[in-house]
Amino acid sequence: MTKTAETVWNSCLNFIKDNIKPQAYKTWFEPIVPVILKGDGLTIQVPSKFFYEWLEEHYIKLLRVSLVKELGNDAKLIYDVKMENTYSSNNAHTVKFPSSNRNPINSQGVTVPLGIDKRELRNPFVIPGIQKIKIESQLNPNYNFDNFIEGDSNRLARSAGMAVANKPGGTSFNPLLVYGGVGLGKTHLAHAIGVEIKDKYPDKTVLYISSEKFTQQYIESVKNNTRNDFIHFYQMIDVLIVDDVQFLSGKTGTQDVFFHIFNHLHQNGKQVVLTSDKAPVDMQDIEQRLLSRFKWGLSAELQAPDFETRILILERKLYRDGVDMPKDVIEYIAKHIKSNVRELEGVLVSLIAQASFNKKEFSLSLTRQIVDKFVKNTKREVSIELIQKVVSKYFDMDVATLQSKTRKRHIVQARQLAMFFSKRMTKASLASIGAQIGKRDHATVLHACKTVDNLSETDKQFRKYVEELTQKLTFQ
Ligand code: ADP
Ligand code: MG
């Protein structure tokens, strides 16, 4: 049988497949297209320069061994890089450069040094006449690594963030997904990464954006018929930081556009940083293909800080504000406020304010009062407003959606649950509940309560909603 590019490449793939993880195979080898076989040289087409560099860096040995098996000791591999022009996608062209193993493949498997001339590779990207557009980073310089206190609870996420900042797009933490509960420092860390990159690489385009704002922009762009501009804008960015991606849940249009932007950035070796209040496995209503992208890099959790870290965070803040506070007061706060750094700071601010307004000392009794108030506040009586917030958050929608007129099933259900809990947990009348939840009348609320009662008896999933929401509303 005569060998063709396809047959040779397929044999190589069989060998490669057996030697790497399925995910890696899928990501890095499935997209490759064999192009031509000329003597001992096989040309393969790869989707981007980044792709090519990745193969050379991570899989060159494997490629070499498999090729030698097929084509003998003089085997050569030539890459055909399909360059997608960033500025106009119908202008794709091809640039060829040989693999670093263009020298005859060494059968001992010794790695041939990567003799790639980077300048040569960059050339195709220099597009005459087009300059990089200056993009405001939207970063908050007060959120930096210096004042992000390290502790066991955040060590992994913090170091991964540092690594990414040192080498944006150049680590396997791409995307870096930082997840964790409210007030644990996701936004702070996300900014810190951006700030550090801007500091180290002033020429890189960094953009911080919340996923809500991203969604709004996208919707606007569809309205104004500028969807392509929107996409192109995001594809030009070197480091894209998207905060709170859980808000993309259920928004299929936005997810779709984000998927394409993500792929483009990733394939071109650009860095993506994401934050979320949940681990990818727990995200609901996010498309599978997007979730699988989220899992490509590293997911690092921010946990609630331990006692020592809480003390350090407090001390750091006091130092910065130039305030002296007795040790026992600091410890009292750290001991009682455990699960939210924002609250920790809140107590401190109140305490400082109280003490200075009333010319009081930082006494333990004053501290106790304030901490008590904070702790009580978090256990305050539930209001209809709060119920709507908790229910919409639970279903990953915003309150406006919950209140809207839509008849989509999952939104109707969320609305009915909000009505049900309002009836059960507040003293408000049916009419007043209806008025506050999207201006419905009392009959609608009554109907909702009955529906929830019925469904929780007959539908297991629904019962789980009721139970979990009860938990959340009782212990929030
Ligand atoms: P999230 O986005 O997770 O809800 P934030 O990033 O907004 O939380 O953090 C809440 C507050 O706590 C911010 O003021 C932030 O500066 C502070 N904070 C969180 N973690 C740390 C930390 N490790 N060191 C110092 N400050 C922190
Ligand atoms: Mg945040």
Side-chain angles (χ1 to χ4, degrees):
M1 200 179 83
T2 49
K3 287 183 171 166
T4 65
E6 279 80 33
T7 60
V8 169
W9 182 239
N10 278 336
S11 308
C12 290
L13 283 184
N14 281 335
F15 176 80
I16 290 165
K17 206 176 194 166
D18 286 340
N19 284 287
I20 59 172
K21 294 209 179 91
Q23 187 60 52
Y25 177 81
K26 231 177 138 141
T27 309
W28 299 109
F29 291 93
E30 276 186 2
I32 296 175
V33 183
V35 183
I36 191 169
L37 181 69
K38 225 174 171 182
D40 301 326
L42 174 70
T43 304
I44 58 173
Q45 192 186 62
V46 294
S48 66
K49 183 193 89 174
F50 169 67
F51 214 95
Y52 151 74
E53 288 179 346
W54 188 276
L55 289 173
E56 287 276 303
E57 204 172 316
H58 296 88
Y59 300 113
I60 193 62
K61 259 195 187 164
L62 197 57
L63 280 164
R64 180 179 297 122
V65 173
S66 68
L67 265 183
V68 167
K69 264 169 56 118
E70 293 306 309
L71 298 174
N73 277 341
D74 290 335
K76 284 187 237 14
L77 183 63
I78 297 129
Y79 293 94
D80 200 349
V81 179
K82 200 166 160 232
M83 301 277 186
E84 264 217 62
N85 192 315
T86 322
Y87 301 93
S88 83
S89 52
N90 52 15
N91 202 12
H93 60 284
T94 291
V95 176
K96 284 192 189 186
F97 31 86
S99 155
S100 56
N101 62 4
R102 58 186 168 258
N103 304 318
I105 290 173
N106 178 329
S107 54
Q108 273 97 52
V110 176
T111 315
V112 178
L114 300 183
I116 309 160
D117 184 344
K118 297 275 184 201
R119 276 163 309 164
E120 197 181 294
L121 297 183
R122 289 247 166 75
N123 279 339
F125 286 97
V126 178
I127 294 156
I130 295 188
Q131 276 168 4
K132 271 227 148 160
I133 294 162
K134 207 170 146 32
I135 293 172
E136 260 316 310
S137 287
Q138 315 290 334
L139 290 166
N140 180 348
N142 294 325
Y143 286 152
N144 51 47
F145 275 113
D146 270 353
N147 60 20
F148 190 79
I149 305 293
E150 182 173 345
D152 287 345
S153 54
N154 62 36
R155 189 161 287 118
L156 172 67
R158 192 178 187 280
S159 335
M162 277 282 204
V164 161
N166 284 329
K167 230 179 144 194
T171 68
S172 49
F173 308 149
N174 199 12
L176 172 63
L177 172 73
V178 176
Y179 69 94
V182 190
L184 293 182
K186 299 181 294 292
T187 298
H188 186 142
L189 187 56
H191 278 280
I193 294 168
V195 168
E196 186 77 14
I197 292 175
K198 262 303 189 197
D199 198 43
K200 286 207 165 82
Y201 306 92
D203 290 341
K204 284 212 189 284
T205 317
V206 180
L207 181 70
Y208 166 90
I209 189 148
S210 69
S211 70
E212 280 156 308
K213 197 156 173 204
F214 180 86
T215 305
Q216 283 165 12
Q217 285 180 356
Y218 170 67
I219 293 169
E220 275 302 298
S221 82
V222 173
K223 252 194 228 149
N224 301 332
N225 230 339
T226 53
R227 188 173 179 270
N228 283 343
D229 295 345
F230 172 83
I231 294 173
H232 281 147
F233 170 80
Y234 275 95
Q235 289 182 338
M236 279 187 320
I237 287 161
D238 297 316
V239 179
L240 178 61
I241 303 169
V242 186
D243 205 358
D244 289 322
V245 289
Q246 74 273 6
F247 286 122
L248 296 180
S249 72
K251 303 186 174 106
T252 45
T254 316
Q255 284 180 36
D256 186 59
V257 82
F258 185 61
F259 178 77
H260 290 292
I261 291 168
F262 178 94
N263 282 346
H264 184 97
L265 295 177
H266 195 271
Q267 289 201 345
N268 288 288
K270 305 302 172 62
Q271 180 69 45
V272 179
V273 177
L274 309 167
T275 79
S276 165
D277 69 351
K278 295 183 195 64
V281 279
D282 297 325
M283 288 186 203
Q284 289 166 358
D285 288 322
I286 302 261
E287 279 184 64
Q288 208 46 49
R289 56 179 186 161
L290 200 52
L291 276 185
S292 86
R293 295 301 191 272
F294 290 176
K295 294 179 201 155
W296 272 4
L298 177 75
S299 304
E301 185 176 6
L302 285 179
Q303 290 164 337
D306 54 27
F307 181 71
E308 276 70 38
T309 313
R310 299 202 292 276
I311 297 264
L312 283 176
I313 291 174
L314 288 170
E315 283 177 345
R316 176 63 188 236
K317 198 162 161 53
L318 288 167
Y319 176 79
R320 202 191 64 199
D321 293 352
V323 178
D324 253 340
M325 199 176 270
K327 189 84 188 162
D328 57 342
V329 171
I330 299 175
E331 284 178 355
Y332 185 88
I333 302 172
K335 202 166 149 206
H336 288 85
I337 307 278
K338 295 179 190 152
S339 57
N340 184 326
V341 182
R342 193 176 293 131
E343 244 169 57
L344 212 53
E345 291 180 340
V347 170
L348 212 55
V349 170
S350 293
L351 189 54
I352 294 169
Q354 283 286 334
S356 60
F357 283 147
N358 304 323
K359 306 224 177 318
K360 285 189 200 167
E361 293 284 302
F362 293 122
S363 66
L364 258 185
S365 76
L366 177 64
T367 312
R368 207 169 286 138
Q369 278 172 33
I370 290 173
V371 168
D372 264 8
K373 238 172 42 201
F374 260 82
V375 176
K376 256 204 213 97
N377 252 333
T378 36
K379 289 203 188 110
R380 67 190 169 266
E381 212 212 308
V382 278
S383 62
I384 296 178
E385 194 195 355
L386 182 76
I387 290 172
Q388 294 186 74
K389 272 194 195 144
V390 171
V391 173
S392 6
K393 184 158 182 263
Y394 178 78
F395 288 106
D396 272 329
M397 60 180 75
D398 44 35
V399 175
T401 312
L402 179 125
Q403 293 183 344
S404 69
K405 301 282 175 215
T406 177
R407 306 223 40 89
K408 280 194 190 136
R409 205 174 82 114
H410 72 285
I411 299 172
V412 173
Q413 280 193 347
R415 197 186 303 136
Q416 291 179 328
L417 279 162
M419 291 175 173
F420 168 84
F421 280 112
S422 300
K423 180 68 195 133
R424 191 158 103 178
M425 302 180 96
T426 73
K427 295 186 187 76
S429 66
L430 292 173
S432 130
I433 294 171
Q436 290 182 63
I437 306 184
K439 300 206 176 67
R440 299 324 202 271
D441 61 14
H442 82 284
T444 310
V445 181
L446 191 60
H447 175 69
C449 295
K450 283 186 184 153
T451 310
V452 171
D453 273 335
N454 283 340
L455 278 176
S456 27
E457 272 166 29
T458 52
D459 182 335
K460 232 167 136 190
Q461 175 64 45
F462 200 86
R463 187 161 56 237
K464 195 171 144 238
Y465 292 158
V466 174
E467 278 163 10
E468 287 184 359
L469 279 166
T470 308
Q471 279 276 327
K472 282 194 194 311
L473 287 163
T474 319
F475 298 109
Q476 45 72 38

